[in-house]
Amino acid sequence: AIALGPPTKGNAILLTPPPDTAALEYYNRGRLLATQLTLQVPKRHRSDRGLADLFVLSLYGNVDDHDEADALLEATEDWVAHSFPDCPVLIGGDFNLENSPTLDRWRDSGHLLDLMVHHSVARNRDVANTTATRRIDQVWATGEAAALVEDAWVEDLTDASFKTHKTLAVRLRLEAF
């Protein structure tokens, strides 16, 4: 789920992956969603309308098949690379993985940034688990999106109805658009 504050303008647009891609297969199975959000930002010049787009991809990895969950991450990475080059993109969700070949590649390449780790280290905080004992819920960002993030943290908003996962929060610095 995505919750946004007042800067959201108009409707969010649900995006569909290109045909004949692995991303479309995961989208059709309800495991990958992408939303284009238009945000009100400070005007950058006189003729600027003060609007900017942020792309948020939400995914749900297969809890019973780590190879399948990793394939979802790879399909997501391919979609971002081909459809959203040079755009601010957040990729988040219940990956049902702490480590995988794709996550290792993301960490090593620097192309995507693990926001919870980055902001925890920068603020001398422990990297919090998102379940009782694991960190399977994650938010990653392209460089363009990472530059907009003021802070990212794990918050325990759990209650009796949804006690398994904690909430991942990201605060954006809109003037950075």
Side-chain angles (χ1 to χ4, degrees):
I2 300 169
L4 291 169
T8 306
K9 284 293 195 191
N11 293 325
I13 301 169
L14 184 61
L15 304 173
T16 305
D20 301 321
T21 62
L24 183 60
E25 293 176 34
Y26 288 106
Y27 171 86
N28 287 334
R29 292 178 12 212
R31 293 198 171 270
L32 175 59
L33 298 173
T35 308
Q36 177 181 342
L37 303 168
T38 301
L39 305 174
Q40 182 74 50
V41 299
K43 291 185 177 186
R44 295 156 287 218
H45 51 80
R46 187 181 308 217
S47 61
D48 187 24
R49 295 185 324 157
L51 301 174
D53 290 324
L54 175 68
F55 299 89
V56 179
L57 281 70
S58 304
L59 51 94
Y60 179 60
N62 189 330
V63 69
D64 296 320
D65 187 339
H66 289 164
D67 291 336
E68 175 76 9
D70 190 58
L72 168 59
L73 296 177
E74 190 168 2
T76 302
E77 177 184 27
D78 289 344
W79 187 18
V80 169
H82 291 99
S83 297
F84 311 107
D86 304 320
C87 294
V89 179
L90 297 175
I91 302 169
D94 181 354
F95 291 10
N96 276 312
L97 294 169
E98 289 182 276
N99 295 296
S100 76
T102 302
L103 287 174
D104 290 343
R105 187 174 59 255
W106 291 3
R107 283 185 198 99
D108 294 343
S109 73
H111 172 67
L112 293 168
L113 181 69
D114 183 338
L115 291 179
M116 298 304 138
V117 170
H118 177 76
H119 285 276
S120 294
V121 170
R123 287 164 179 72
N124 203 24
R125 300 185 299 229
D126 290 332
V127 180
N129 288 332
T130 59
T131 66
T133 59
R134 300 173 58 207
R135 200 175 78 81
I136 59 175
D137 305 291
Q138 301 181 34
V139 178
W140 290 71
T142 60
E144 295 81 7
L148 305 173
V149 176
E150 185 175 298
D151 196 4
W153 65 97
V154 176
E155 201 163 314
D156 192 355
L157 300 176
T158 58
D159 61 25
S161 65
F162 193 71
K163 59 185 173 189
T164 307
H165 299 268
K166 297 177 184 171
T167 300
L168 305 180
V170 175
R171 181 181 307 118
L172 299 177
R173 184 177 42 249
L174 296 179
E175 64 274 5
F177 266 98

